[in-house]
Amino acid sequence: MKTLFINIKQLLQVYEQNPSIISGLNMNTVPSIQNAYLLIEDDKIVQYGSMDSNLPNADKIIDVHGKTIFPSWCDSHTHIVFAATREEEFLMKIEGKSYEEIAAAGGGILNSARKVEAATEEELFISASNRLHQLIRLGTGSIEIKSGYGLSTNAELKMLRVIKKLKAHFPIPIKATFLGAHAYPAIYKENKEAYIQLIIDEMLPRIHQEQLADYVDVFCEEGFFSTVDTARILTAAATYGLAPKIHANQLNVSGGVQVGVAHQAISVDHLECMDEAAIQSLKGSNTIATLLPSCSFYLGIPFAPARALMQENIPVALASDYNPGSTPSGNMNFLFSLACIKLKMKPMEALNAMTINGAHAMQVADSVGSITVGKKANFIITKEIPSITYAAYSFGENCIENVYINGSQII
Ligand code: NIG
Ligand code: FE
């Protein structure tokens, strides 16, 4: 079945060949066609061009008169499998407690871990499915999901099995990341070495056996996992073929960026606290800098130095970090605004960071992230807005009219 979309005001992110990662200031370019058509067949993009050219035949024609089409958001960092929200911590935060103080008072990651421990796989699957349905309706067309609220072999495996089930039930590309090294469980508080051994000797082999993860992650941060711990875990994970995507430099200049780069991380994520050495280590590496401004916004911590990174020709991706503690939102449309307003990224830079670069940050760019023949027909049709810049500028406004996933209209 061929469907032809005509009178597209602007068709954005159009590439004849699947583009490689877009770095630094090149991110300000988004190839586009004004007054365009787009032809899809079943679940794939098959042709596009200017309305001034000969239009191809189709079984169905949809006139989108004056609306813009661009690829679905690619969200390369989330924690959407969790058992309960944490509004009680929101209140503590309003009263002035820091993220670290809330964690020390029994909140934080360990709070979520207790709830995941008590939840069944089915319960976790249902709540994560509800979140994912909502995200797709907000324009997310590919996603990475982490474990990390299990913190025991059984609970980590339970979370990863939920992600495996999400992969089987949802029509979008999903990647699974093992984040056993998210926090030390209470029973290992006095024996952190034993928990690292558990990750290396028990969790990783089991995960490998069941083929439950695509990547490994570590929360490399003062008070959590040191650079030495991180290096050990990444080295062990590499023997099972798991490439790193790690949490680095969120709360401190932790050395996490350098460890990630040294272990050929696909991405190092957060980067709110950077120094010159951390920036320089990314330069010339294949590691993507993934920034999570919704987390900075919610926690009230510094925003990552996006401009300094781009100035050094480093590829930047943007992701939501959706989780119950530091970022209770996976709305990529709001993230688009935040990236422009708070990271001082230009709208086209942010668009690249949230589409093609996000796709590269979870290695799904062969099927999503741009309007390219052969890729999945996963795209967003905006309302009749003056420009794509308007969508970032009018923060909080819903500018999405339709969402298509694999050629099917979702909304
Ligand atoms: O990415 N920083 C570590 N992990 C999450 C927060 C987890 C939580 O508070 O539940 C993050 O911000
Ligand atoms: Fe995170």
Side-chain angles (χ1 to χ4, degrees), residues 2 12 50 195 201 401:
K2 285 186 176 175
L12 291 160
S50 161
Y195 186 60
D201 296 340
E401 178 98 348

CSV table of all heavy atoms in Angstrom, one decimal, residues 2 12 50 195 201 401:
chain,number,residue,atom,x,y,z
A,2,LYS,N,0.7,2.1,-1.0
A,2,LYS,CA,1.5,3.3,-1.1
A,2,LYS,C,0.6,4.5,-0.7
A,2,LYS,O,-0.5,4.7,-1.1
A,2,LYS,CB,1.9,3.5,-2.6
A,2,LYS,CG,3.0,2.6,-3.0
A,2,LYS,CD,3.5,3.0,-4.4
A,2,LYS,CE,4.7,2.2,-4.8
A,2,LYS,NZ,5.1,2.4,-6.2
A,12,LEU,N,11.8,18.0,6.6
A,12,LEU,CA,13.1,18.2,7.2
A,12,LEU,C,13.9,16.9,7.4
A,12,LEU,O,13.4,15.8,7.5
A,12,LEU,CB,12.9,18.7,8.6
A,12,LEU,CG,12.4,20.2,8.7
A,12,LEU,CD1,11.7,20.4,10.1
A,12,LEU,CD2,13.5,21.2,8.5
A,50,SER,N,10.2,17.5,-4.6
A,50,SER,CA,9.5,18.8,-4.6
A,50,SER,C,8.1,18.7,-5.2
A,50,SER,O,8.0,17.9,-6.2
A,50,SER,CB,10.3,19.8,-5.4
A,50,SER,OG,9.5,20.9,-5.8
A,195,TYR,N,29.5,-6.2,45.9
A,195,TYR,CA,28.4,-5.9,44.9
A,195,TYR,C,29.1,-5.8,43.5
A,195,TYR,O,28.5,-6.3,42.6
A,195,TYR,CB,27.7,-4.5,45.3
A,195,TYR,CG,26.5,-4.3,44.3
A,195,TYR,CD1,25.5,-5.2,44.2
A,195,TYR,CD2,26.5,-3.2,43.5
A,195,TYR,CE1,24.4,-5.1,43.3
A,195,TYR,CE2,25.4,-3.0,42.6
A,195,TYR,CZ,24.4,-4.0,42.5
A,195,TYR,OH,23.4,-3.8,41.6
A,201,ASP,N,30.5,-11.3,38.4
A,201,ASP,CA,30.6,-12.7,38.4
A,201,ASP,C,29.2,-13.4,38.2
A,201,ASP,O,29.1,-14.5,37.7
A,201,ASP,CB,31.1,-13.3,39.7
A,201,ASP,CG,32.6,-12.8,39.9
A,201,ASP,OD1,33.2,-12.5,38.9
A,201,ASP,OD2,33.0,-12.8,41.1
A,401,GLU,N,0.5,17.3,15.1
A,401,GLU,CA,-0.9,17.0,14.6
A,401,GLU,C,-1.0,15.5,14.5
A,401,GLU,O,-2.0,14.9,15.0
A,401,GLU,CB,-1.1,17.6,13.2
A,401,GLU,CG,-2.4,17.3,12.6
A,401,GLU,CD,-3.4,18.4,12.8
A,401,GLU,OE1,-3.2,19.3,13.6
A,401,GLU,OE2,-4.4,18.4,12.1
